[in-house]
Amino acid sequence: MNRRSFFGVSAPALLPLLGGGKASDFLPADKPIVISTWAPNVKANAEAWKVLQAGGAALDAVHAGVQVPEADPDDQSVGYGGLPDRDGKVTVDSCIMDEHGNIGAVAGLEYILHPVSVARMVMEKTPHVMLVGYGALQFALQNGFKKTNLLTDKSKKAWQAWLKESKYDPQATIKNIEQRIKENHDTIGMLALDANGNLSGACTTSGMAYKMHGRVGDSPIIGAGLYVDNEVGAATATGLGEDVIRICGSHAVVELMRSGLTPRDACKAAVERLIKMRGRDRVAQTQIGFIALNKKGEYGCFSLRDNFTMALRTKEKEEVIPSPFLM
Ligand code: SD4
């Protein structure tokens, strides 16, 4: 029960939830509310909170919030400073979705500091929902984004060290997850409910470290890494993208909420769906985690294994919640 508290943020009041315990779900919080994957994203929530507190839209809040880790060189899973693919290129994946079902995404994008802003521009300025690779870069540059080298010295050194063995193991293994927690970073998925009761979400990442060039995970895929239904709720994912895509994870969580499950139970049911589909052996080295927020302001999270966390900001509290887990 003596779980760590992260970054000076108070330890969660709901410790009984640890270890997949039987504690009840989180009660509705007063609007507005913002939640994010992973403890370090209390900083991202704080930025989103500025928008929400001023009466701003959930869409603007998540857009502003996820830009924090995108620009943070110490966050080696998102944007600038992200670990590169096996060819040494930092490629980023990002998507955004609002309360009207407007969606935009970019995948395999290089050289752009804020991929979420390009995703939003795809949503608002094109008849399409996703641009990838060189086409996404061209679109960004034509619309005023500047080319930035996203590979920091720290990430370059890590890649060069990896090259010595070049072991291709793009798995969110337990060890990797623990390491990531220690290094205080991971992919951000953020969901917000604004003062008007509207939901939006965004998800942004540099993907799995040392992935094949061209590999795309769940994070920019609407329905996998993120889904919002303004009648029901919203969900976002982290972990091994291949396994999240397999179950259309975030869409599954939203549909499970629609069928009456609470956010936490919906996240749990999605994780169970993966185990049932794949069998325990195939998920032995995998981690996936979901967070969800419903229209009433209830929120919850669940992961396959230990060490996943959710960052929360409401009028009353700013805290990090260790996720309950199954295995
Ligand atoms: C991916 N889901 O690219 C992302 C990575 C991640 O924890 O969330 N890692 O598969």
Side-chain angles (χ1 to χ4, degrees):
M1 298 299 262
N2 59 343
R3 299 289 296 210
R4 57 198 164 261
S5 76
F6 297 85
F7 312 105
V9 178
S10 61
L14 289 147
L15 289 173
L17 276 181
L18 287 173
K22 295 190 182 66
S24 58
D25 287 277
F26 295 96
L27 296 170
D30 260 358
K31 298 184 294 255
I33 169 169
V34 58
I35 59 174
S36 295
T37 53
W38 302 106
N41 290 321
V42 288
K43 287 181 285 182
N45 284 356
E47 206 53 37
W49 188 253
K50 288 183 196 161
V51 177
L52 293 170
Q53 199 178 26
L59 179 68
D60 295 326
V62 297
H63 183 196
V66 303
Q67 287 187 2
V68 172
E70 280 185 344
D72 181 352
D74 293 327
D75 188 323
Q76 289 184 291
S77 297
V78 183
Y80 180 57
L83 290 167
D85 63 23
R86 64 183 186 178
D87 298 346
K89 297 175 196 299
V90 181
T91 63
V92 290
D93 298 337
S94 186
C95 73
I96 192 158
M97 182 163 189
D98 75 6
E99 71 267 25
H100 305 295
N102 291 317
I103 54 178
V106 288
L109 175 63
E110 288 183 66
Y111 304 117
I112 298 294
L113 185 61
H114 289 302
V116 72
S117 303
V118 186
R120 184 167 178 174
M121 200 172 268
V122 170
M123 173 171 100
E124 291 176 341
K125 299 220 163 118
T126 79
H128 307 302
V129 299
M130 184 182 244
L131 293 177
V132 304
Y134 184 63
L137 177 62
Q138 253 183 329
F139 171 76
L141 297 176
Q142 281 161 3
N143 283 283
F145 288 86
K146 297 275 170 288
K147 233 174 159 177
T148 306
N149 175 19
L150 301 178
L151 185 63
T152 56
D153 283 349
K154 187 176 163 193
S155 288
K156 191 174 178 182
K157 278 194 190 122
W159 168 65
Q160 283 165 339
W162 173 83
L163 275 181
K164 285 183 193 140
E165 273 195 43
S166 298
K167 188 165 176 283
Y168 192 56
D169 181 26
Q171 300 190 358
T173 58
I174 307 165
K175 190 165 153 253
N176 286 344
I177 292 292
E178 277 170 1
Q179 185 67 19
R180 285 173 180 210
I181 298 285
K182 220 187 272 165
E183 290 167 6
N184 299 338
H185 54 72
D186 218 300
T187 294
I188 183 166
M190 177 182 278
L191 309 172
L193 178 67
D194 65 27
N196 292 322
N198 288 319
L199 288 158
S200 288
C203 186
T204 189
T205 188
S206 51
M208 303 305 294
Y210 320 128
K211 60 194 177 185
M212 286 173 71
H213 185 65
R215 178 265 186 190
V216 175
D218 60 312
S219 305
I221 313 257
I222 295 292
L226 174 72
Y227 200 70
V228 177
D229 184 318
N230 206 41
E231 277 192 352
V232 177
T236 187
T238 184
L240 186 68
E242 283 73 3
D243 278 338
V244 176
I245 292 172
R246 235 180 274 291
I247 55 165
C248 297
S250 296
H251 183 259
V253 172
V254 171
E255 291 308 305
L256 288 158
M257 288 195 286
R258 193 194 306 279
S259 73
L261 295 191
T262 61
R264 187 191 78 129
D265 284 351
C267 294
K268 184 177 180 211
V271 171
E272 284 168 342
R273 194 172 283 187
L274 178 74
I275 299 174
K276 191 162 177 224
M277 179 189 275
R278 300 292 282 165
R280 289 195 164 240
D281 286 352
R282 284 201 193 85
V283 297
Q285 291 298 305
T286 292
Q287 170 69 311
I288 62 166
F290 295 102
I291 65 171
L293 173 64
N294 70 16
K295 193 75 177 163
K296 290 185 273 185
E298 293 167 333
Y299 51 93
C301 54
F302 211 92
S303 54
L304 184 58
R305 22 179 62 87
D306 198 3
N307 281 328
F308 176 45
T309 49
M310 171 170 79
L312 163 80
R313 182 75 194 257
T314 66
K315 270 181 210 149
E316 289 83 32
K317 41 191 175 177
E318 177 179 51
E319 65 185 19
V320 169
I321 295 165
S323 176
F325 55 93
L326 271 179
M327 283 171 72

